[in-house]
Amino acid sequence: MSDNQFNPESHKFGEASYFEDLSVGQRFYIPSRTLRDANFSAFQAASGDNHPIHYDVEYCKKQGHPELLAHGFQVLIQTASGAGIFPHVIGESLIAFIDQSSKFLGPVYYGDTVYPELVITDLKEQKSTGVVTVRSTIHNQRRELVLEGEQRYLVRRRPAS
């Protein structure tokens, strides 16, 4: 049965926010998750990394770790903006993910729960676009900051009316 009132083009998160709609300090939470077998296996399959520090608990214990150590990139991917609402908020005004940097400040182990977050720290206006800089962080269940970094996005400015 056809529904003439349904329009697939309006089936989206909401109206796009443009560069001018964003503000320094704006927070974008990414859902927390506990890293377990599926996360470790998926990362190993995608990366090809098979070092025992990430997959052999007895090896880890001999190295002084209480559990499997999550790979740094496995931790970093928890800050992927698409896992939260940021790309949905800016919607079609997003042009590009420009770059990212990160510092690994503490270990993340099997069974840890991570709490990723993005916070806008800078807005650089350009002619028809703007560069949005966000601070990316991950805390663990012990409230320890285990990762911090920066991501930059190119976003359209609001079109002239």
Side-chain angles (χ1 to χ4, degrees), residues 2 11 14 16 33 38 44 50 57 59 63-64 67 73 78 82 90 98 102 107 109 112 119 127 137 140 147 158:
S2 179
H11 187 80
R33 60 189 51 96
Q44 181 182 26
N50 62 4
V57 72
Y59 179 88
Q63 304 303 314
E67 256 301 343
F73 288 139
Q78 305 307 313
I90 57 178
I98 300 171
S102 54
Y109 294 110
D112 278 355
V119 178
K127 192 171 187 174
T137 60
N140 64 19
L147 179 141
R158 186 173 298 288

Side-chain angles (χ1 to χ4, degrees), residues 43 54 70-77 104 147:
F43 187 81
H54 308 302
H71 191 290
F73 288 139
Q74 180 183 353
V75 176
L76 172 61
I77 63 174
F104 304 100
L147 179 141

Side-chain angles (χ1 to χ4, degrees), residues 4 7 9 13 22 27 46 61 64 77 81 100-101 107-108 110 122 153 155 159:
N4 293 332
N7 181 352
E9 292 178 18
F13 189 77
L22 303 172
R27 295 179 178 278
K61 289 178 180 176
I77 63 174
S81 64
Q100 77 83 33
S101 64
V108 174
Y110 177 93
D122 192 43
Y153 298 87
V155 177

Side-chain angles (χ1 to χ4, degrees), residues 85-152:
I85 66 165
F86 178 70
H88 300 288
V89 168
I90 57 178
E92 295 162 357
S93 70
L94 174 64
I95 297 171
F97 177 32
I98 300 171
D99 60 35
Q100 77 83 33
S101 64
S102 54
K103 294 178 184 174
F104 304 100
L105 305 173
V108 174
Y109 294 110
Y110 177 93
D112 278 355
T113 300
V114 293
Y115 299 85
E117 181 181 40
L118 305 175
V119 178
I120 296 177
T121 59
D122 192 43
L123 297 165
K124 290 228 184 308
E125 188 174 330
Q126 301 180 128
K127 192 171 187 174
S128 62
T129 62
V131 176
V132 178
T133 302
V134 299
R135 178 178 184 238
S136 56
T137 60
I138 297 181
H139 287 81
N140 64 19
Q141 73 276 11
R142 292 177 295 281
R143 300 176 184 223
E144 299 164 336
L145 181 63
V146 295
L147 179 141
E148 70 177 340
E150 191 173 90
Q151 300 174 8
R152 294 186 321 137

Side-chain angles (χ1 to χ4, degrees), residues 17-39:
S17 292
Y18 290 88
F19 180 79
E20 296 86 349
D21 301 319
L22 303 172
S23 60
V24 170
Q26 197 169 356
R27 295 179 178 278
F28 299 93
Y29 298 97
I30 297 172
S32 59
R33 60 189 51 96
T34 302
L35 303 178
R36 300 243 184 239
D37 289 336
N39 307 97

